[in-house]
Amino acid sequence: MAKEFTNAKMVVDKDFKVSDIDPRIYGSFIEHLGRAVYGGIFEPEHPEADEHGFRQDVLELVKELQVPIVRYPGGNMVSAYNWEDGVGPKEDRPKRLELAWRTIENNQVGTNEFADWAKKAGTDVMMAVNLGTRGIDAARNLLEYTNHPGGTYYSDLRRKHGYEQPHNIKTWCLGNEMDGPWQIGGKTAEEYGRLAYETAKAMKLVDPSIELVSCGSSSSDMPTFPQWEATTLDHTYEFADYVSLHQYYTNYENDTPNFLARSMEMDHFIKTVISTCDYIKAKKRSKKTINLSFDEWNVWFHSTADDEKMEPWQVAPPQLEDVYTFEDAVLVGSLLHTLLKHSDRVKMACMAQLVNVIAPIMTDNGGKVWKQTIFYPYYYTSVYGRGIALDPVVDSPKYDSKDFTDVPYLDTSVVYNEEKEELVVFATNRHMENTLKVDCDIRSFEGFRVIEHVVLENDDPKAVNTANQTNVAPHNKGESHTEGSILHGILPKMSWNMIRLRK
């Protein structure tokens, strides 16, 4: 059967800039949940474990992704967590009922161990404080423990625990999803706003160099969204540097064209939060702009039914272990486009999570580590999407789906890396049947030629990877090429692509 073609056009120009991309837009997340920590990053009995118990095979894949920042220790778990349980001699650390996920937390990994792991992984830590069961006092003490050089109770306690130098953690989340009725110690917007303001004030007195993330809505589906942002930011605006966004995308209806359009939902969410931040800025006559930390995002729905059957009070049972499909990877590629298109305001983002729990990296206890389908768009965008995000002018045919109208078949983001003299076009073809031929005018990039066209494609939208079989992986046999000042992009049906050009 001959290939069917659909045509699209775009213009990319050096002067059409969105913003410099903050590398932290490619962050991730490790929560004390399921096998993310125990059996994920930390498994002392594993043949690949180093002297601290960290799995080196897992570390290698994290380094491959070039993850710049990792949020820790939660998540819902942080809202009943006592940080003191996770420091000091391991034999003295208590086992606790972990209420968010109804497991037993043995506290063998805590603040210091995670800081050690982050160093090995070449990443920074985004630390969350407990504003559920605790508040100002615990937060300022933890900050003193991690960041103060010495000569005080908590900084000297850190030194006594074997860490002479402070960890200097610079990014802090003021609680997690405090609007959620599932959250231990959940709050109304007024209650949270007051507590977060007072906590932020105390923390910035301890260390004025830190950046703080005010807790936004748990998802754009929350009945209190976006009033929650308006009310809480009215309180926290003076001390907060970012507001958080969380959203997970599902395909329970098994409707692929509708699912692939869900990045439009993310786009709308981001725009609404920006408008709300800027309304509070205007209301306060402020010169300060609050930016966005999209610190939980991913596809999550495959494992939900299994998790409901889990026996409570186990140590590190398998939880939220979504096995990702090819179509999930295509959407993840589009979600990354969306973050880049908003990189003027989205400065940090965290794919949730990193290992085993709704994650690009999976492990077997005592066994292998492998890459899920979603690993690939995350890897290529993180590694090659550094520099300046450009704003392409796109002219694409569109389709309608169950929840979305005017969905462009071509979804794209473009990055110019001046240092490397490299232009990178990331592109998704949402068309289920047709190859997309894209004529892209790159006239301001004279003499640039295609050096690589990576394609992620598969005839089966439901294809998955396992420990023993990689069914979904990219190839670099893409057919895009330049002719004069035109890049002819050839995007196979239902595919995610990266086209790199150099002078």
Side-chain angles (χ1 to χ4, degrees), residues 44-59:
E45 300 76 41
H46 195 277
E48 286 279 342
D50 68 11
E51 71 281 14
H52 296 113
F54 297 121
R55 278 185 65 161
Q56 294 172 90
D57 53 351
V58 174
L59 270 168

Side-chain angles (χ1 to χ4, degrees), residues 317-347:
Q319 284 172 297
L320 281 65
E321 296 201 1
D322 272 35
V323 176
Y324 287 111
T325 63
F326 167 64
E327 70 182 11
D328 296 333
V330 177
L331 177 63
V332 161
S334 277
L335 297 170
L336 286 158
H337 300 322
T338 308
L339 294 170
L340 286 174
K341 284 187 264 199
H342 289 291
S343 55
D344 56 330
R345 297 299 291 273
V346 179
K347 296 298 177 186

Side-chain angles (χ1 to χ4, degrees), residues 80-384:
Y81 177 60
N82 299 335
W83 68 267
E84 302 90 341
D85 292 346
V87 297
K90 290 196 174 193
E91 61 278 10
D92 297 341
R93 297 184 191 179
K95 291 185 169 70
R96 297 276 191 199
L97 292 182
E98 200 292 287
L99 301 183
W101 304 102
R102 304 194 76 225
T103 58
I104 290 175
E105 172 55 57
N106 64 29
N107 286 303
Q108 292 304 289
V109 170
T111 302
N112 293 318
E113 288 83 13
F114 191 74
D116 286 340
W117 178 84
K119 250 190 214 91
K120 290 171 191 269
T123 188
D124 289 333
V125 178
M126 179 194 291
M127 184 71 82
V129 299
N130 173 359
L131 294 189
T133 59
R134 302 184 86 180
I136 306 163
D137 212 35
R140 68 165 182 144
N141 294 343
L142 173 58
L143 178 58
E144 181 187 316
Y145 182 91
T146 60
N147 286 20
H148 198 70
T152 66
Y153 178 81
Y154 284 105
S155 59
D156 287 344
L157 186 63
R158 180 198 69 241
R159 292 163 72 188
K160 188 180 153 193
H161 292 157
Y163 293 83
E164 189 60 36
Q165 295 307 313
H167 298 307
N168 282 324
I169 295 166
K170 289 304 176 196
T171 311
W172 294 76
C173 301
L174 297 163
N176 171 76
E177 295 187 355
M178 299 310 297
D179 60 332
W182 57 85
Q183 205 67 211
I184 308 293
K187 310 267 185 283
T188 65
E190 288 289 349
E191 288 167 341
Y192 170 74
R194 284 291 305 126
L195 178 61
Y197 170 82
E198 293 299 342
T199 305
K201 183 167 80 183
M203 289 176 79
K204 288 228 170 164
L205 287 168
V206 175
D207 182 351
S209 70
I210 61 172
E211 291 189 309
L212 294 172
V213 184
S214 188
C215 192
S217 294
S218 303
S219 81
S220 59
D221 312 322
M222 294 300 286
T224 48
F225 174 76
Q227 187 55 53
W228 170 276
E229 280 71 6
T231 305
T232 57
L233 283 173
D234 215 354
H235 289 285
T236 61
Y237 206 89
E238 181 187 343
F239 294 118
D241 303 281
Y242 306 90
V243 65
S244 69
L245 298 81
H246 291 181
Q247 191 80 42
Y248 295 98
Y249 301 92
T250 65
N251 188 15
Y252 286 113
E253 301 83 26
N254 194 17
D255 178 342
T256 303
N258 192 59
F259 179 63
L260 295 182
R262 290 210 182 275
S263 55
M264 293 175 74
E265 204 176 295
M266 180 191 247
D267 182 70
H268 181 66
F269 187 14
I270 290 170
K271 284 175 175 161
T272 308
V273 174
I274 290 171
S275 320
T276 312
C277 291
D278 292 348
Y279 156 66
I280 299 298
K281 178 182 180 176
K283 185 181 167 188
K284 289 191 174 289
R285 314 312 194 248
S286 176
K287 288 192 165 52
K288 171 172 146 184
T289 299
I290 296 268
N291 285 317
L292 278 55
S293 174
F294 210 127
D295 47 41
E296 288 188 34
W297 69 269
N298 205 345
V299 172
W300 172 20
F301 72 98
H302 299 284
S303 60
T304 318
D306 286 343
D307 287 340
E308 281 165 9
K309 299 179 210 142
M310 195 197 82
E311 282 296 309
W313 315 129
Q314 302 177 58
V315 175
Q319 284 172 297
L320 281 65
E321 296 201 1
D322 272 35
V323 176
Y324 287 111
T325 63
F326 167 64
E327 70 182 11
D328 296 333
V330 177
L331 177 63
V332 161
S334 277
L335 297 170
L336 286 158
H337 300 322
T338 308
L339 294 170
L340 286 174
K341 284 187 264 199
H342 289 291
S343 55
D344 56 330
R345 297 299 291 273
V346 179
K347 296 298 177 186
M348 300 191 287
C350 301
M351 176 190 265
Q353 293 187 19
L354 187 55
V355 184
N356 287 332
V357 174
I358 47 174
I361 299 169
M362 290 298 289
T363 70
D364 280 335
N365 288 5
K368 290 182 181 172
V369 62
W370 74 96
K371 298 172 182 178
Q372 292 237 55
T373 62
I374 63 171
F375 182 95
Y376 299 106
Y378 181 24
Y379 163 76
Y380 283 105
T381 314
S382 171
V383 172
Y384 297 103

